[in-house]
Amino acid sequence: MSLPSSESSSPKEAARHDRVLVVLATPVSGCFDYLVPPHLSVVIGSVVVAPFGNRRLPGIVLGPGTGDVAVEKLRYLEEVAAVATLPDTLLLFMKRFANWTVSPLGAVAKMILSQPSALAPPAMQKQFFMPQIAPPEKRLTAARQRVYAVMADHVRRCAGDISAAANVSQAVITGMVAQGLLDVEHVVADQPPPTPRHDLPGLVLTATQTTAARDLSAMIGQGFSTTLLDGVTGSGKTEVYFEAVKAALQAGQQILILLPEIALSAGWRNRFAARFGVVPVEWHSDVSAAQKRRAWRFALDGKLSVVVGARSALFLPFKNLGLIIVDEEHEHAFKQEEQVIYQARDMAVLRARIEACPIILASATPSLESWVNAGATGGPARYRHVVLSDRVHGASLPQIKAIDLRKTPPERGRWLAPPLVEAIAKRLQHGEQSLLFLNRRGYAPLTLCGACGAKVTCPHCDSWMVAHRLAGRMRCHHCGHETRPQRNCGQCGESDSMQACGPGVERLAEEVLWRFPEARFAVLSSDTVGTPKAAQNFIESVQAGDVDIIVGTQMAAKGHHFPNLTLVGVVDADLGLAGGDLRAGERTFQMLSQVAGRAGRESRTGEALLQTLDPENPVLTSLLSGDRDQFLATEAAARAHAGMPPFAQLAAVILSAPEDTKLHEAMRLLAASRPVFDNVDCFGPAMAPLAYLKGRHRARFLLRAEKTIDLQHILRGWLANVKLPAQVRLHIDIDPYSFL
Ligand code: ADP
Ligand code: ZN
Ligand code: ZN
């Protein structure tokens, strides 16, 4: 037994059996018994490698084996990974998470063990340093003298660093070692990231900020609590939650900051670096495997203090988590819609509860759920509510006005109405910047034949192909299918008959060029600005004043600070309200307040103009009157009346299959055993609004239940006894957001 238990407490010891229960990091339901070979030793939480079919998979030891399978049929564990035992809190989180989302435990284990490189034994590295007695320099070659000049500070360096600093080949270094001119030592290559400093001064906080910061910091070390940090854009929420980060650092705890990927800008990084003296350690899809390996291992060792990441950072194996922050908590990017479907903000609250630490949810436009949980509708307050109601520099919020497109429509084939055009012209005269917002990528959302009316659609989805003229492509925004644009109609054969309908940002840019040929404009969308680096360049060029008019999608709505931007024009304020999903109004309100908040962040008051065909819509009237709470209250009342979340529970069961017949078979099977309980409604099956997506036919059941019902239990009971045809996939979406 080579790997003794790191802890001697009895639950850990319970697993010291020859036969253990293991959850494998793969989305199959259930756990498996394995035999522990005599040369290995495992405890609960050990990360192991086990044979599974003809694969080897990482897994986690959960306890003694169940004994359900005859011992002759069991296989042996192959290895224990060279990492510390996973904490009990993480194992509990994994189980509760799987339970809540009704997903296989192995799928959650897979998200925890997502980084195979993190499990490999640490790599070794050679480090070079000056010997005790150095020979006189004059007998050295010029190259060797340069090495000595670099190494004179007695700092240990790897070969790469020396050769770069002294401009020598690595052979020079090896030669010096051979002759005893340099000493070398083998060390572990991974070094922990520098610890953020808690002793640097921050900005001088305003009185309101100070009160809020004290309030948040007081929660550190006091067990589980959830606080909604609710502050208008520009009220300095980041500075305030940095104070809580500081308090947790001082207490020697680990801190997790979750941001929607889009919000993790260079601006945020720089502010963190200015406040804490080091760049933050990051965890998201753009981070390299080597960096992820370090973050994962040092989180587990407790040597990593702060991680800022996207939703997947929620699965890091923290040893001593003391604070979680979810910034922009209302963002839909926190909902993962693929594979395991989950809401990272809600699961972050679960994790905080299990880790017994505080969690802060920050937003200028809180989600209805969080707002209701904070007791704002008069119900029980499960969250604390800290409010920042003023902008720091005394800057006022932008004036929001509607442009009624029924009264002042744009010319045919144009999208900017006269009052908006006038407002832009005024900004150009004054040397100020404008942002035109349209949440539609590409040139036109629809292309059709002028002769026969045929629409260009995606062969794999029930959706239109979007024209992207800059790229010279037609693209499906659902599955990514691409084709070359056709000049002739594929249906009737008419030549040159294809017409673009409706605007995307590229088409809007065309109009800007036509109306304001002298203005400098730029398009900000994921197609034109695809990488974080490009986004940073874009932001810098706007800040430097190189751009007069920005034409942007939702990428332009987030967190950027453009001091000289005084006008925001929303080209189609009704766009997000179509489609009628549960959160359409809420999402539109959040998006439009965010984008309007881009205007006039400093001394000048900004203006936001919303083009609409329906200015009486409650979403718009609340925006115009600047009464966010009024909007939330109305929305909450409507949801309560309809028996919808957050006042009831909703779950979707989505079936999909490449063949229609198989799908219908599965629908019949599930319908035959549909759950029948008091206070539970089962709707469907209905074909999904996008009934054909990514080459699969789709149908959906919707379950609605009172809050007191264990909906997950009902779902499990229902689905456990149904044997679906092969090829049919089933997804469960607890609290669905997307109704596609
Ligand atoms: P929010 O997240 O609420 O929109 P931020 O934290 O991003 O607000 O702050 C908005 C701007 O105000 C930032 O440029 C920030 O540096 C600045 N700021 C915040 N607090 C202060 C303060 N106390 N003194 C000076 N500037 C501040
Ligand atoms: Zn045609
Ligand atoms: Zn498609």
Side-chain angles (χ1 to χ4, degrees):
M1 300 260 163
S2 59
L3 204 143
S5 165
S6 57
E7 290 171 41
S8 54
S9 62
S10 51
K12 293 264 176 188
E13 290 296 322
R16 301 178 122 252
H17 286 70
D18 294 334
R19 173 177 187 148
V20 289
L21 184 68
V22 174
V23 57
L24 296 173
T26 187
V28 295
S29 49
C31 304
F32 304 93
D33 276 12
Y34 281 93
L35 296 173
V36 184
H39 67 282
L40 295 182
S41 168
V42 298
V43 294
I44 290 177
S46 292
V47 179
V48 294
V49 177
F52 186 66
N54 51 12
R55 292 184 292 166
R56 302 169 77 239
L57 290 174
I60 303 167
V61 175
L62 295 180
T66 56
D68 293 347
V69 177
V71 83
E72 310 80 61
K73 294 199 175 153
L74 293 184
R75 300 172 77 177
Y76 279 97
L77 292 179
E78 291 187 2
E79 264 176 52
V80 176
V83 295
T85 306
L86 300 182
D88 293 337
T89 48
L90 183 62
L91 303 186
L92 186 58
F93 176 64
M94 173 173 75
K95 290 176 196 165
R96 295 249 185 100
F97 185 105
N99 223 6
W100 178 261
T101 55
V102 196
S103 44
L105 192 62
V108 190
K110 191 174 175 205
M111 295 195 285
I112 292 173
L113 302 177
S114 64
Q115 217 41 55
S117 69
L119 308 180
M124 300 303 280
Q125 192 185 46
K126 284 182 188 170
Q127 284 206 333
F128 301 88
F129 53 99
M130 285 289 258
Q132 289 289 312
I133 307 155
E137 285 201 11
K138 61 178 183 308
R139 289 171 41 208
L140 298 173
T141 63
R144 289 179 172 188
Q145 284 182 33
R146 287 203 299 279
V147 171
Y148 266 10
V150 169
M151 301 304 283
D153 58 4
H154 291 275
V155 169
R156 291 167 176 248
R157 290 184 175 84
C158 67
D161 289 350
I162 301 173
S163 73
N167 189 24
V168 298
S169 71
Q170 303 218 354
V172 171
I173 302 166
T174 331
M176 291 176 76
V177 172
Q179 295 180 17
L181 300 175
L182 275 182
D183 276 349
V184 65
E185 197 178 59
H186 289 254
V187 296
V188 176
D190 293 336
Q191 293 302 319
T195 306
R197 293 176 55 180
H198 58 74
D199 55 347
L200 297 176
L203 297 175
V204 179
L205 298 185
T206 64
T208 330
Q209 281 179 314
T210 307
T211 315
R214 286 215 186 104
D215 188 319
L216 296 179
S217 308
M219 292 297 118
I220 303 299
Q222 301 300 308
F224 171 63
S225 62
T226 310
T227 306
L228 174 61
L229 176 59
D230 174 0
V232 295
T233 38
S235 60
K237 290 184 291 297
T238 316
E239 297 312 318
V240 169
Y241 72 63
F242 276 174
E243 294 306 302
V245 171
K246 173 189 152 169
L249 280 173
Q250 246 168 339
Q253 296 169 330
Q254 294 178 300
I255 297 125
L256 168 64
I257 305 174
L258 294 180
L259 285 176
E261 212 143 318
I262 198 165
L264 184 58
S265 58
W268 195 95
R269 275 187 203 100
N270 294 341
R271 284 174 71 179
F272 184 92
R275 184 71 187 82
F276 297 108
V278 301
V279 291
V281 171
E282 295 177 26
W283 181 280
H284 48 78
S285 55
D286 278 336
V287 171
S288 72
Q291 285 170 300
K292 279 193 170 166
R293 171 192 158 83
R294 276 197 295 277
W296 199 93
R297 293 180 74 96
F298 289 120
L300 184 53
D301 287 352
K303 290 180 188 141
L304 174 61
S305 310
V306 182
V307 184
V308 53
R311 56 193 181 216
S312 56
L314 191 54
F315 299 95
L316 280 169
F318 293 103
K319 185 185 186 191
N320 176 29
L321 191 60
L323 173 65
I324 305 179
I325 292 162
V326 182
D327 200 354
E328 311 286 359
E329 67 89 27
H330 62 279
E331 272 292 330
H332 286 228
F334 285 122
K335 178 92 181 187
Q336 166 148 317
E337 303 276 11
E338 257 144 36
Q339 291 159 4
V340 179
I341 301 177
Y342 67 94
Q343 163 52 277
R345 178 235 304 143
D346 296 349
M347 293 299 102
V349 174
L350 171 67
R351 179 113 197 227
R353 183 187 294 277
I354 291 171
E355 305 279 353
C357 75
I359 175 167
I360 299 169
L361 310 178
S363 176
T365 50
S367 63
L368 188 64
E369 282 83 358
S370 298
W371 196 70
V372 168
N373 278 330
T377 47
R382 301 167 58 219
Y383 296 176
R384 305 163 68 255
H385 196 178
V386 172
V387 179
L388 296 171
S389 44
D390 303 309
R391 287 187 153 186
V392 255
H393 301 294
S396 46
L397 288 164
Q399 292 178 348
I400 306 183
K401 292 185 206 132
I403 296 177
D404 190 338
L405 291 177
R406 294 167 307 186
K407 293 187 185 140
T408 52
E411 304 92 310
R412 216 182 123 71
R414 304 288 170 192
W415 321 102
L416 303 177
L420 182 52
V421 174
E422 223 170 90
I424 301 169
K426 208 169 87 191
R427 294 316 187 287
L428 285 172
Q429 271 168 22
H430 293 142
E432 296 170 9
Q433 294 167 315
S434 308
L435 163 67
L436 295 176
F437 174 76
L438 177 64
N439 200 15
R440 258 201 197 136
R441 292 162 47 208
Y443 184 84
L446 169 64
T447 304
L448 54 70
C449 168
C452 75
K455 295 167 181 157
V456 182
T457 57
C458 173
H460 312 294
C461 307
D462 271 344
S463 65
W464 299 337
M465 295 293 283
V466 178
H468 284 252
R469 289 217 178 152
L470 289 176
R473 308 291 284 173
M474 301 292 287
R475 288 186 182 139
C476 171
H477 286 185
H478 293 289
C479 71
H481 179 73
E482 286 199 13
T483 57
R484 296 208 355 231
Q486 303 280 309
R487 303 189 55 183
N488 307 337
C489 177
Q491 288 287 329
C492 71
E494 186 76 16
S495 53
D496 275 326
S497 65
M498 303 315 287
Q499 300 171 354
C501 298
V505 278
E506 290 178 10
R507 195 170 199 181
L508 205 59
E510 204 174 76
E511 181 173 345
V512 167
L513 180 63
W514 173 74
R515 288 190 192 276
F516 307 105
E518 74 291 0
R520 297 160 304 168
F521 71 90
V523 176
L524 176 57
S525 84
S526 55
D527 299 301
T528 58
V529 181
T531 63
K533 182 87 194 105
Q536 182 53 21
N537 291 341
F538 185 94
I539 290 160
E540 279 166 13
S541 76
V542 175
Q543 285 168 343
D546 297 341
V547 176
D548 300 313
I549 302 173
I550 307 165
V551 179
T553 61
Q554 60 173 354
M555 268 189 99
K558 311 289 170 210
H560 314 300
H561 186 55
F562 300 134
N564 198 32
L565 184 91
T566 56
L567 173 69
V568 168
V570 174
V571 175
D572 186 349
D574 311 325
L575 188 60
L577 293 168
D581 83 52
L582 180 65
R583 293 178 176 81
E586 188 187 352
R587 191 163 51 229
T588 303
F589 186 89
Q590 288 161 349
M591 171 94 76
L592 296 185
S593 335
Q594 291 256 331
V595 72
R598 297 304 113 215
R601 309 245 305 169
E602 258 158 39
S603 51
R604 275 164 297 199
T605 301
E607 184 180 31
L609 299 176
L610 315 182
Q611 298 197 141
T612 174
L613 286 167
D614 182 17
E616 280 84 46
N617 185 295
V619 171
L620 291 186
T621 51
S622 313
L623 274 167
L624 298 179
S625 60
D627 198 343
R628 186 203 73 184
D629 288 358
Q630 168 64 36
F631 169 76
L632 285 169
T634 313
E635 183 74 11
R639 299 250 198 112
H641 183 72
M644 281 290 162
F647 304 99
Q649 310 178 71
L650 218 52
V653 175
I654 301 141
L655 292 167
S656 72
E659 287 169 45
D660 213 17
T661 49
K662 289 278 190 296
L663 179 70
H664 279 91
E665 194 183 328
M667 287 160 72
R668 271 194 303 277
L669 281 169
L670 277 186
S673 58
R674 67 167 68 231
V676 182
F677 292 94
D678 286 345
N679 300 323
V680 179
D681 301 314
C682 179
F683 307 108
M687 296 311 288
L690 267 177
Y692 189 55
L693 184 69
K694 301 182 187 176
R696 301 180 74 87
H697 298 274
R698 303 162 75 240
R700 196 179 57 187
F701 289 85
L702 206 56
L703 254 59
R704 198 194 65 88
E706 302 286 301
K707 292 209 82 164
T708 48
I709 304 263
D710 185 347
L711 189 58
Q712 281 82 357
H713 182 73
I714 290 177
L715 279 163
R716 270 190 296 271
W718 178 22
L719 304 174
N721 299 316
V722 181
K723 180 92 184 74
L724 292 175
Q727 298 180 319
V728 174
R729 269 188 230 150
L730 184 148
H731 287 284
I732 294 174
D733 187 352
I734 300 292
D735 200 13
Y737 278 39
S738 162
F739 283 73
L740 284 181

